């Protein structure tokens, strides 16, 4: 049994501007009332309906309707917390509501997700997924009704046909069953103690992680499809490899949450789309850092280990032998001319620095290292664009060294004048790009030294907040431009002539630039937050 990888505790990366950005997305999609409830949960953490009523000053029915909208679109998850009663009182369960920040931000990535799917599947699959993005979650019957209403002349859509499309998407893990509507969190003192060995140190789980883990169905039914048979009974297409333990949990869930009288609901599996985007980012980074051949090898390794990679933020891929890598490489058009000698050379390239680690004739992709190098390059690029070449050299030195360095030493290594070095260091420190410490030597004459370093985790959060801020500004600017031209947008397109047409061309140009800039910024956000 494979040991778990050491995971260091990390600070929360949900930043102040990240919350403002998420609230703006909800406001744009669902209006001010829903966003008010969502913002309250985002800022205060999990809340009961009574507390939401107290903080938002909305009526109980308004809060209920807002929560239903947010739950329908996978932006809020309900869960129950056990509360022990007083003397002679029974234990009761209190329902709380948790905002799913990641799912809210993913709403702006639907076009990216659709592009991923379009590379693997046909139009029918795209239509089904588009319906899930539009409505949040749907039953098989609702998917069928939607497909039926959109069917083209001469084509007959059946329930079996829709189910077949759904099964394709679930086998590829792009669609999954919705989580339990209200999972119960086990009391902390009753939670089973986890064994801790030298390689089994786990990061403390956030409340969001605990709730989502409690809500997600077991793997055996998470990607199974409801199959109405000829007698009208409900059966599930489920993996034949299910273990006895999974079978018991499956049956329990079926009777409690997905029973004969319950309706099975499906939604898009954002985790799988993020995984695909992370793989693309890794390949693109290796192509820019090394060459096309190394990128081809890495891409083939990612394809070969996709089914074994179960965590979006896994540190390392499953092990692969040289022969299995070569078998996957020659399946691709770019790798058909590659020999084993070429493959060994590219794997050696990927091993320095260790983007791919070799051990006992097996190879593992070091995801953490690839992403870390990409993050460092992005940070350095931001410093170069904002502060100039000298600041870039200074920041790069401190970033690569990872230790405290004295001002004079930094000036000597980077060939920047000491006076100018001091100005740059102070500017970077003032803008939270550097950490500074003062060292005072008490001798006959007291001497003070300024020591500088890059604290990557703190800087990562700072840059992420700046990225959310910039993206929010672009969204607000686009909303302003659309509001200024709202009368123009009401006019039919064929009647926008003369001056109106010029205004329409200008608006479309601005919209295209702003939306394109948002997508580029979102790529950076994903690099620092999602990967």
């Amino acid at each position: 049994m494979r040991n778990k990888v050491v995971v260091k505790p990390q600070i929360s990366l949900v930043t102040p501007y990240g919350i403002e950005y998420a609230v703006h997305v909800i406001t744009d999609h669902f209006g001010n009332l829903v966003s008010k409830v969502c913002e309250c949960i985002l800022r205060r953490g999990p809340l009961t309906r009574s507390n939401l009523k107290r903080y938002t000053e909305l009526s109980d029915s308004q809060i209920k309707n807002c929560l239903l909208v947010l739950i329908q679109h996978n932006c809020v998850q309900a869960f129950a917390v056990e509360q022990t009663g007083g003397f002679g009182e029974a234990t009761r369960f209190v329902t709380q509501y948790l905002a799913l920040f990641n799912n809210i931000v993913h709403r702006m990535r639907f076009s990216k997700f659709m592009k991923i799917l379009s590379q693997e599947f046909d139009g029918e699959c795209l239509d089904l997924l588009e319906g899930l993005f539009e409505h949040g979650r749907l039953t098989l019957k609702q998917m069928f009704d939607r497909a039926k209403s959109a069917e083209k002349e001469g084509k007959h859509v059946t329930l079996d046909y829709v189910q077949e499309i759904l099964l394709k998407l679930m086998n590829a893990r792009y669609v999954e069953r919705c989580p339990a509507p209200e999972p119960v969190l086990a009391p902390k003192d009753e939670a089973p103690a986890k064994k801790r060995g030298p390689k089994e140190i786990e990061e403390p789980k956030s409340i969001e992680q605990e709730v989502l883990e409690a809500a997600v169905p077991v793997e055996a039914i998470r990607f199974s499809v409801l199959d109405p048979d000829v007698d009208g009974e409900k059966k599930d297409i489920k993996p034949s490899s299910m273990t006895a333990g999974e079978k018991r949990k499956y049956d329990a869930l079926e009777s409690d949450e997905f029973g004969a009288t319950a309706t099975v609901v499906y939604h898009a599996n954002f985790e799988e789309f993020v995984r695909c985007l992370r793989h693309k980012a890794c390949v693109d980074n290796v192509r820019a850092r090394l060459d096309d051949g190394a990128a081809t090898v890495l891409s083939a390794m990612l394809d070969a280990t996709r089914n074994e990679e179960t965590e979006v933020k896994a540190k390392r891929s499953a092990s692969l032998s040289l022969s299995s890598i070569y078998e996957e490489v020659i399946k691709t058009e770019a790798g058909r001319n590659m020999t084993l000698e070429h493959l060994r050379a590219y794997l050696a390239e990927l091993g320095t620095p260790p983007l791919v680690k070799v051990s006992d004739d097996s190879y593992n992709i070091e995801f953490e290292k690839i992403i870390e190098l990409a993050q460092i390059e992005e940070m350095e690029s931001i410093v170069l664009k904002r502060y100039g070449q000298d600041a870039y050299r200074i920041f790069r030195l401190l970033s690569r060294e990872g230790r405290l360095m004295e001002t004079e030493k930094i000036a000597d290594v980077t060939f920047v004048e000491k006076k100018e070095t001091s100005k740059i260091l102070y500017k970077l420190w003032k803008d939270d790009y550097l950490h500074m410490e003062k060292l005072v030597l008490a001798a006959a004459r007291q001497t003070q030294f300024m020591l500088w370093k890059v604290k990557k985790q703190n800087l990562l959060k700072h840059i992420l907040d700046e990225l959310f801020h910039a993206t929010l500004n672009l969204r607000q600017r686009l909303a302003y431009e659309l509001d200024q031209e709202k009368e123009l947008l009401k006019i039919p397109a064929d009647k926008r002539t003369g001056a109106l047409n010029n205004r329409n061309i200008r608006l479309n140009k601005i919209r295209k630039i702003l939306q394109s800039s948002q997508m580029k910024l979102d790529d950076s956000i994903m690099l620092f937050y999602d990967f």
Side-chain angles (χ1 to χ4, degrees):
M1 185 175 179
R2 188 184 303 165
N3 289 326
K4 293 182 181 177
V5 182
V6 174
V7 179
K8 296 178 182 178
Q10 295 183 345
I11 57 176
S12 171
L13 293 181
V14 179
T15 68
Y17 276 113
I19 291 176
E20 284 194 37
Y21 173 67
V23 172
H24 191 275
V25 170
I26 294 297
T27 305
D28 188 35
H29 290 191
F30 307 115
N32 293 325
L33 208 61
V34 175
S35 73
K36 187 174 184 179
V37 172
C38 188
E39 181 176 12
C40 187
I41 305 174
L42 280 168
R43 295 193 183 280
R44 294 179 178 271
L47 293 171
T48 61
R49 270 172 60 178
S50 59
N51 281 335
L52 276 170
K53 184 177 179 180
R54 179 158 61 94
Y55 293 135
T56 61
E57 298 181 350
L58 298 175
S59 68
D60 193 58
S61 62
Q62 285 176 317
I63 289 171
K64 180 182 177 181
N65 290 333
C66 290
L67 287 172
L68 287 173
V69 169
L70 290 167
I71 291 170
Q72 171 68 28
H73 290 275
N74 309 300
C75 298
V76 161
Q77 172 69 49
F79 66 99
V81 177
E82 184 178 342
Q83 289 190 350
T84 307
F87 181 75
E89 295 181 0
T91 300
R92 65 193 186 100
F93 294 90
V94 178
T95 301
Q96 296 185 22
Y97 298 90
L98 171 74
L100 304 178
F101 176 83
N102 292 2
N103 287 2
I104 296 171
V105 175
H106 287 329
R107 296 190 63 80
M108 301 311 301
R109 297 169 180 154
F110 288 168
S111 60
K112 290 183 180 181
F113 298 163
M114 291 292 286
K115 186 176 180 180
I116 291 171
L117 200 73
S118 67
Q119 295 169 356
E120 294 186 43
F121 295 100
D122 53 21
E124 285 79 5
C125 292
L126 290 172
D127 290 341
L128 191 148
L129 189 71
E130 187 177 19
L132 290 174
F133 285 156
E134 181 182 351
H135 300 286
R137 45 183 71 185
L138 294 171
T139 63
L140 180 60
K141 176 69 164 56
Q142 289 170 330
M143 293 178 204
F144 169 68
D145 291 342
R146 188 174 181 276
K148 192 75 175 172
S149 63
E151 71 178 347
K152 297 177 183 178
E153 189 176 347
K155 184 178 180 180
H156 181 59
V157 177
T158 64
L159 186 62
D160 287 339
Y161 177 70
V162 175
Q163 182 176 281
E164 183 182 340
I165 296 171
L166 178 60
L167 184 59
K168 283 183 185 178
L169 292 173
M170 296 191 79
N171 285 337
R173 301 196 166 219
Y174 289 124
V175 174
E176 63 179 349
R177 286 193 180 193
C178 289
E182 194 175 313
V184 179
L185 287 192
K188 293 288 183 184
D189 54 343
E190 291 182 16
K194 293 182 178 178
K195 296 179 182 179
R196 296 186 180 274
K199 292 186 179 180
E200 204 170 358
I201 302 172
E202 292 187 352
E203 178 184 347
K205 291 179 181 178
S206 65
I207 183 67
E208 182 172 347
Q209 287 175 311
E210 290 183 3
V211 170
L212 292 179
E213 284 183 10
V216 70
V218 292
E219 196 76 5
I221 66 171
R222 183 180 174 188
F223 299 103
S224 63
V225 181
L226 189 70
D227 175 28
D229 66 3
V230 291
D231 296 321
E233 296 178 355
K234 296 182 179 180
K235 298 188 299 183
D236 281 298
I237 302 172
K238 50 192 176 184
S240 58
S241 59
M242 193 187 305
T243 64
E246 285 181 324
K247 178 67 169 64
R248 286 192 296 271
K249 189 173 181 183
Y250 176 90
D251 292 338
L253 281 169
E254 284 297 300
S255 60
D256 295 338
E257 298 164 17
F258 303 105
T261 58
T263 303
V264 181
V265 189
Y266 305 91
H267 69 171
N269 178 20
F270 296 138
E271 180 181 296
E272 187 62 30
F273 287 104
V274 170
R275 193 193 329 275
C276 291
L277 290 172
R278 183 181 64 155
H279 288 181
K280 182 180 181 300
C282 288
V283 172
D284 289 345
N285 183 262
V286 166
R287 179 177 286 109
R289 178 181 296 278
L290 300 175
D291 52 37
D292 289 340
T296 299
V297 171
L298 183 72
S299 179
M301 293 178 70
L302 288 168
D303 289 340
T305 59
R306 178 176 175 180
N307 292 335
E308 286 75 28
E309 189 187 341
T310 56
E311 294 182 345
V312 174
K313 295 186 179 179
K315 302 268 182 175
R316 185 180 297 173
S317 73
S319 297
L320 288 171
S321 65
L322 184 67
S323 59
S324 60
I325 297 172
Y326 186 64
E327 184 182 340
E328 197 68 34
V329 166
I330 59 176
K331 289 180 184 178
T332 65
E333 186 176 348
R336 286 193 188 114
N337 296 327
M338 195 178 293
T339 65
L340 270 172
E341 185 179 347
H342 290 143
L343 177 59
R344 287 191 183 96
Y346 287 129
L347 287 170
E349 273 189 87
L350 289 165
T352 313
L355 308 180
V356 169
K357 190 173 182 180
V358 58
S359 176
D360 298 327
D361 295 326
S362 64
Y363 298 84
N364 302 89
I365 301 170
E366 298 287 308
F367 286 117
E368 186 179 32
K369 188 64 178 178
I370 297 173
I371 296 302
E372 182 186 356
L373 290 174
Q375 289 173 345
I376 291 170
E377 287 177 355
E378 184 72 15
M379 291 176 184
E380 291 172 355
S381 174
I382 291 170
V383 171
L384 176 62
K385 292 173 184 176
R386 184 173 295 184
Y387 301 101
Q389 188 69 39
D390 289 343
Y392 165 75
R393 290 207 302 271
I394 290 170
F395 180 83
R396 184 175 182 179
L397 171 67
L398 293 171
S399 174
R400 303 296 165 98
E401 287 291 326
R403 59 185 175 86
L404 288 165
M405 293 185 71
E406 196 266 327
T407 306
E408 191 169 338
K409 177 70 173 176
I410 295 170
D412 291 341
V413 175
T414 58
F415 301 104
V416 180
E417 290 185 9
K418 185 177 177 181
K419 187 175 181 181
E420 186 64 24
T421 299
S422 297
K423 288 181 181 178
I424 292 171
L425 288 168
Y426 180 75
K427 176 64 176 173
L428 291 171
W429 170 75
K430 189 177 178 182
D431 290 348
D432 295 323
Y433 278 77
L434 291 181
H435 170 74
M436 181 261 287
E437 291 183 14
K438 293 180 181 179
L439 177 64
V440 179
L441 297 180
R445 182 179 174 185
Q446 197 175 67
T447 308
Q448 178 175 283
F449 293 95
M450 309 295 283
L451 303 176
W452 313 85
K453 72 176 292 187
V454 173
K455 282 195 171 181
K456 289 179 183 174
Q457 191 66 23
N458 292 347
L459 179 57
L460 188 149
K461 186 170 184 178
H462 173 69
I463 289 179
L464 183 61
D465 198 43
E466 288 187 333
L467 290 170
F468 277 125
H469 190 188
T471 309
L472 176 63
N473 286 342
L474 290 174
R475 284 187 59 80
Q476 290 174 333
R477 172 63 188 272
L478 180 58
Y480 170 79
E481 293 291 343
L482 293 174
D483 184 64
Q484 291 293 104
E485 298 290 0
K486 59 185 177 184
E487 297 300 327
L488 172 68
L489 295 173
K490 292 178 182 177
I491 301 172
D494 57 339
K495 293 185 179 180
R496 298 174 193 170
T497 57
L500 292 178
N501 185 49
N502 292 336
R503 283 168 59 190
N504 188 55
I505 292 172
R506 174 190 171 275
L507 180 61
N508 287 335
K509 186 177 180 180
I510 290 174
R511 191 198 313 231
K512 185 177 180 180
I513 292 171
L514 292 176
Q515 289 177 341
S516 175
S517 299
Q518 283 182 56
M519 289 297 101
K520 289 178 181 177
L521 282 173
D522 186 64
D523 289 341
S524 297
I525 288 173
M526 294 196 78
L527 176 63
F528 287 105
Y529 183 81
D530 297 274
F531 299 160

